[in-house]
């Protein structure tokens, strides 16, 4: 599995201008190992900036971004190769659809990689299957699709490049709960099937709890918390101070603790809470 | 691609110039441009340069921002300077080689023309764009042009369109950047290949950009209709413009500056030929 390392990375927007903003402040972080890593933070915490550094859309003002131990900016002319290896799905990716058919749009990435026509076609079908896009839709105009289908088509456009690292910035934003679940489940299934590294950015604590193995919390451009879901969500005072939230069930657990039923602070899914509670109360697990 | 544009941006502040009536500023800028074109001698340009410095100091805008705004002009400046040095014929020959003749007059001309361009840009941007919000500017323009309503020119509609266009420039720039980044993430390449290949590479940016611009326009129209916008007829203003003494003084000041320039034109050792 690929590994991304950030070494003391800072990023400043509009350096030297009247409105310069320090979006990231000396971040050091290694992402590998656990399959799905979640980035979390309040609006303006720097998470979108961070993901754009991972594939060289932005260049760090200071520090290094390493992919498998190699600085991605070592050869600036070959940054395109990095972008094929680290696929980035930006926020509201459906606004980047442009081609006449969904098929041609998904093929844009693989074509830029210089693949043969047969290979491109195979990749398009494979990517469409992963995101659950019906094959009959491939010859429609992307602008005739529904919102959820557009989102999936845009996602397929990146997955078709078979990146070693798939970075998704709020992939479920603006979708209804059903659409959310479906797209996030598909992303997790894609991770399991392809063995690639997935990085997910989200505000939603419930999504983080359900789909991520590791959670990284940013606040005002700095690293606030880093660890598995249980250890991050158990520090909910810190999260609340950072303008974030914790899953509803963590509140319930905290309230129960106040009434003398302590099932632990590291409860973040309903299933887990039910299990702990039944253990505590000595009943059967149901 | 570098999309940061300082020239024409509004810089917040609370100086005398910021507080001037936008109508007065528009008139003042027009007068100022005329005055700059009147100047022909070194002495006159000296006076104008001093006036520009005073203007910058009054506005409280940091010189660094103004210098940054001049950057895109470098090419035009260089071009005019070179053109003037080599093509103006005079009497004092400075340098001669093959078909190249450089006259003292050419060098003077080049200097003064370059100064004229810089002065034009600095003083108009300090008086208008750096210190006036686009909204105030179109508001002032609408009122100055309102007599044209008599001959059925839809002044309000034009100024509304201008306001909206100005308002959406930053939005469109931001949108373009986002779309470019998204396509770059899929390996789009805008900087290599033949001219035709580069033009084709713009399609993945332009199509989404146009679609979102139309969508935005549609949404804006709906939002305006929801708030019962029907055009300028019988509409009152939230900010009624008032001319103060300082506005009149500013315009008179610029007229005096013009008189000074005309006077100083008489005492020039060298006169600009155009």
């Amino acid at each position: 599995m690929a590994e991304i390392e950030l070494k003391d990375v800072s990023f400043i927007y509009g350096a030297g201008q009247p409105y310069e903003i320090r979006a990231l402040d000396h971040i050091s972080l290694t992402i590998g190992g656990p399959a799905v890593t979640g980035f979390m933070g309040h609006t303006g915490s720097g998470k979108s900036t961070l993901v754009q550094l991972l594939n060289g859309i932005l260049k760090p003002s200071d520090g290094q971004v390493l992919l498998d131990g190699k600085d991605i900016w070592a050869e600036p002319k070959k940054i395109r190769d990095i972008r094929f290896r680290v696929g980035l799905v930006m926020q509201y990716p459906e606004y980047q659809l442009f081609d006449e058919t969904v098929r041609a749009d998904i093929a844009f990435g693989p074509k830029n990689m210089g693949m043969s026509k047969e290979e491109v076609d195979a990749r398009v079908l494979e990517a469409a299957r992963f995101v659950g896009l019906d094959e009959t839709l491939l010859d429609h105009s992307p602008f005739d699709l529904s919102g959820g289908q557009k989102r999936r088509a845009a996602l397929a456009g990146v997955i078709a490049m078979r990146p070693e690292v798939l970075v998704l910035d709020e992939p479920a934003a603006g979708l209804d709960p059903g659409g959310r679940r479906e797209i996030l489940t598909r992303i997790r299934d894609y991770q399991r099937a392809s063995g690639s590294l997935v990085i997910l950015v989200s505000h939603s604590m419930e999504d983080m709890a359900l789909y991520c193995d590791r959670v990284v919390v940013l606040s005002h451009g700095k690293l606030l918390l880093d660890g598995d879901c249980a250890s991050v969500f158990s520090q909910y005072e810190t999260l609340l101070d950072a303008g974030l939230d914790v899953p509803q069930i963590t509140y319930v657990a905290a309230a129960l603790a106040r009434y003398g039923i302590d099932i632990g602070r590291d409860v973040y899914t309903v299933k887990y809470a039910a299990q702990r509670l039944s253990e505590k109360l000595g009943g059967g697990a149901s | 691609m570098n999309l940061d544009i300082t020239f024409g941006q509004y810089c917040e502040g609370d100086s005398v110039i910021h507080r001037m009536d936008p109508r007065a500023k528009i008139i003042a800028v027009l007068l100022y441009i005329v005055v700059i074109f009147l100047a022909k001698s070194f002495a006159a340009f000296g006076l104008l340069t001093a006036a520009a410095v005073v203007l910058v100091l009054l506005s409280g805008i940091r010189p660094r921002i103004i210098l940054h705004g001049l950057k895109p002009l470098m090419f035009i400046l260089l071009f005019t300077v070179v053109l003037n040095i080599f093509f103006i014929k005079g009497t004092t020959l400075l340098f001669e080689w093959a078909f190249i003749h450089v006259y003292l007059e050419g060098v003077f001309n080049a200097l003064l023309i370059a100064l004229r361009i810089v002065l034009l840009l600095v003083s108009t941007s300090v008086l208008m764009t750096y210190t006036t919000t686009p909204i105030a500017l179109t508001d002032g323009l609408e009122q100055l042009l309102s007599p044209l309503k008599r001959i059925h020119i839809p002044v309000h509609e034009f100024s509304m369109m201008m306001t909206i266009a100005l308002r959406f420039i930053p939005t469109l720039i931001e949108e373009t950047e986002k779309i470019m980044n998204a396509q770059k993430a899929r390996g789009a390449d805008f900087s290599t290949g033949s001219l035709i290949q580069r033009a084709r590479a713009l399609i993945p940016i332009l199509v989404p950009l146009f679609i979102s611009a139309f969508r935005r326009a549609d949404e804006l129209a709906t939002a305006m209709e929801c708030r019962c916008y029907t055009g300028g007829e019988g509409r009152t203003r939230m900010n009624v413009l008032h001319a103060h003494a300082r506005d009149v003084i500013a315009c008179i000041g610029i007229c005096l500056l013009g008189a000074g320039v005309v006077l100083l034109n008489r005492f020039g050792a060298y006169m600009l030929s155009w």
Side-chain angles (χ1 to χ4, degrees):
Chain A
M1 191 179 281
E3 186 184 81
I4 288 195
E5 191 186 349
L6 299 168
K7 257 193 187 164
D8 205 25
V9 167
S10 297
F11 189 84
I12 301 166
Y13 282 103
Q17 273 184 41
Y19 310 106
E20 75 168 43
I21 298 164
R22 185 174 277 270
L24 289 176
D25 200 1
H26 300 285
I27 300 263
S28 289
L29 183 67
T30 306
I31 310 155
V36 182
T37 301
F39 282 173
M40 201 158 93
H42 56 88
T43 309
S45 61
K47 46 191 197 317
S48 289
T49 308
L50 186 57
V51 295
Q52 289 181 60
L53 286 167
L54 297 180
N55 75 337
I57 291 288
L58 298 176
K59 194 174 176 176
S61 309
D62 206 12
Q64 282 181 314
V65 181
L66 307 175
L67 177 59
D68 286 336
K70 254 186 79 184
D71 187 350
I72 63 168
W73 286 101
E75 289 174 273
K77 286 203 171 142
K78 292 200 172 157
I79 195 71
R80 226 158 73 104
D81 297 340
I82 301 291
R83 292 185 186 142
F84 294 136
R85 291 178 61 195
V86 182
L88 171 62
V89 182
M90 310 250 274
Q91 270 177 49
Y92 297 99
E94 55 273 29
Y95 294 140
Q96 55 179 269
L97 297 171
F98 69 95
D99 223 320
E100 280 169 47
T101 64
V102 176
R103 189 188 301 276
D105 208 291
I106 299 177
F108 184 65
K111 255 193 202 156
N112 284 332
M113 294 171 83
M115 286 180 186
S116 69
K117 205 184 164 303
E118 293 74 37
E119 220 170 336
V120 170
D121 288 343
R123 289 276 183 106
V124 169
L125 287 179
E126 181 194 83
R129 227 183 354 260
F130 265 128
V131 298
L133 205 59
D134 201 75
E135 248 179 71
T136 52
L137 290 174
L138 288 180
D139 293 310
H140 286 249
S141 160
F143 305 109
D144 292 339
L145 302 184
S146 73
Q149 287 167 337
K150 275 186 197 170
R151 180 73 57 93
R152 287 188 214 173
L155 189 58
V158 175
I159 284 181
M161 303 191 301
R162 263 193 223 158
E164 295 160 52
V165 184
L166 180 63
V167 187
L168 303 118
D169 195 352
E170 298 268 9
L175 296 181
D176 58 35
R180 262 189 114 77
R181 256 196 314 274
E182 155 119 34
I183 206 146
L184 291 169
T185 308
R186 285 198 179 270
I187 290 167
R188 199 185 46 193
D189 292 347
Y190 166 78
Q191 194 284 321
R192 301 274 146 88
S194 65
S196 57
L197 182 66
V198 170
I199 295 170
L200 200 65
V201 175
S202 178
H203 290 307
S204 161
M205 304 303 126
E206 266 78 15
D207 291 351
M208 285 281 159
L210 283 173
Y211 299 99
C212 296
D213 304 297
R214 173 186 175 191
V215 180
V216 174
V217 184
L218 291 172
S219 178
H220 300 289
K222 290 196 166 102
L223 213 60
L224 190 66
L225 294 171
D226 182 3
D228 57 19
C229 289
S231 75
V232 167
F233 288 130
S234 67
Q235 307 187 44
Y236 71 83
E237 288 94 348
T238 316
L239 288 172
L240 291 179
D241 279 347
L244 289 167
D245 213 345
V246 288
Q248 294 285 328
I249 195 68
T250 311
Y251 283 119
V252 176
L256 282 174
R258 271 202 297 282
Y259 289 107
I261 311 167
D262 190 3
I263 58 169
R265 293 172 57 99
D266 56 346
V267 170
Y268 58 90
T269 60
V270 177
K271 220 166 137 188
Y272 189 51
Q275 192 193 332
R276 281 283 189 85
L277 200 57
S278 64
E279 277 169 20
K280 188 88 187 167
L281 300 176
S286 56
Chain B
M1 190 184 270
N2 182 15
L3 289 173
D4 77 83
I5 298 156
T6 324
F7 170 64
Q9 205 178 46
Y10 174 66
C11 285
E12 217 165 296
D14 191 33
S15 69
V16 189
I17 299 182
H18 280 86
R19 274 176 275 139
M20 264 177 76
D21 188 305
R23 290 171 297 182
K25 281 198 231 186
I26 294 168
I27 296 171
V29 161
L30 291 176
L31 288 173
Y32 209 110
I33 292 172
V34 173
V35 170
I36 287 174
F37 277 100
L38 281 176
K40 291 211 181 301
S41 71
F42 272 110
F45 271 102
L47 179 66
L48 281 181
T49 311
V53 170
V54 170
L55 212 56
V56 171
L57 290 178
L58 276 180
S59 72
I61 290 169
R62 280 185 292 169
R64 206 175 58 164
I65 296 176
I66 293 168
L67 287 181
H68 190 87
L70 285 177
K71 252 197 224 156
L73 210 71
M74 281 320 284
F75 178 73
I76 300 174
L77 273 182
L78 215 67
F79 186 72
T80 32
V81 165
V82 169
L83 216 64
N84 274 287
I85 286 182
F86 291 116
F87 290 99
I88 297 278
K89 295 219 178 327
T91 47
T92 330
L93 193 64
L94 282 183
F95 175 79
E96 193 176 19
W97 180 77
F99 58 92
I100 296 173
H101 307 274
V102 175
Y103 295 93
L104 186 63
E105 286 81 356
V107 176
F108 283 165
N109 228 47
L111 279 176
L112 290 185
I113 296 268
L115 196 58
R116 179 188 276 174
I117 295 174
V118 170
L119 282 176
L120 266 178
L121 196 81
V122 169
S123 38
T124 52
S125 59
V126 167
L127 259 178
M128 296 237 283
T129 49
Y130 282 136
T131 58
T132 325
T133 59
I135 302 288
L137 211 59
T138 44
D139 215 18
L141 202 62
E142 180 185 347
Q143 297 207 13
L144 279 180
L145 295 179
S146 58
L148 292 178
K149 278 181 192 159
R150 297 253 169 83
I151 53 168
H152 300 294
I153 291 175
V155 175
H156 170 80
E157 280 69 19
F158 279 138
S159 84
M160 181 55 100
M161 284 188 325
M162 215 165 107
T163 311
I164 291 172
L166 285 172
R167 154 69 185 78
F168 279 99
I169 289 173
T171 313
L172 280 179
I173 291 178
E174 201 181 301
E175 188 93 13
T176 313
E177 253 175 359
K178 259 191 209 156
I179 294 168
M180 275 177 82
N181 285 343
Q183 308 300 23
K184 268 195 222 161
R186 294 205 280 165
D189 187 1
F190 309 117
S191 48
T192 58
S194 68
L195 203 63
I196 294 170
Q197 275 172 327
R198 283 194 213 189
R200 280 186 61 92
L202 288 179
I203 296 174
I205 300 170
L206 292 180
V207 173
L209 193 62
F210 271 103
I211 286 169
S212 83
F214 282 124
R215 186 175 45 86
R216 231 183 265 285
D218 215 31
E219 280 168 8
L220 183 67
T222 311
M224 283 168 83
E225 264 171 23
C226 286
R227 286 182 246 173
C228 305
Y229 178 80
T230 50
E233 213 57 54
R235 205 172 147 80
T236 54
R237 321 200 136 262
M238 184 169 129
N239 299 311
V240 181
L241 298 174
H242 295 289
H244 292 275
R246 59 169 173 262
D247 301 312
V248 182
I249 292 171
C251 290
I252 293 175
I254 289 171
C255 291
L256 288 177
L257 192 69
V261 163
V262 171
L263 209 65
L264 284 175
N265 273 343
R266 293 164 168 270
F267 305 105
Y270 170 74
M271 300 289 280
L272 199 60
S273 57
W274 47 274

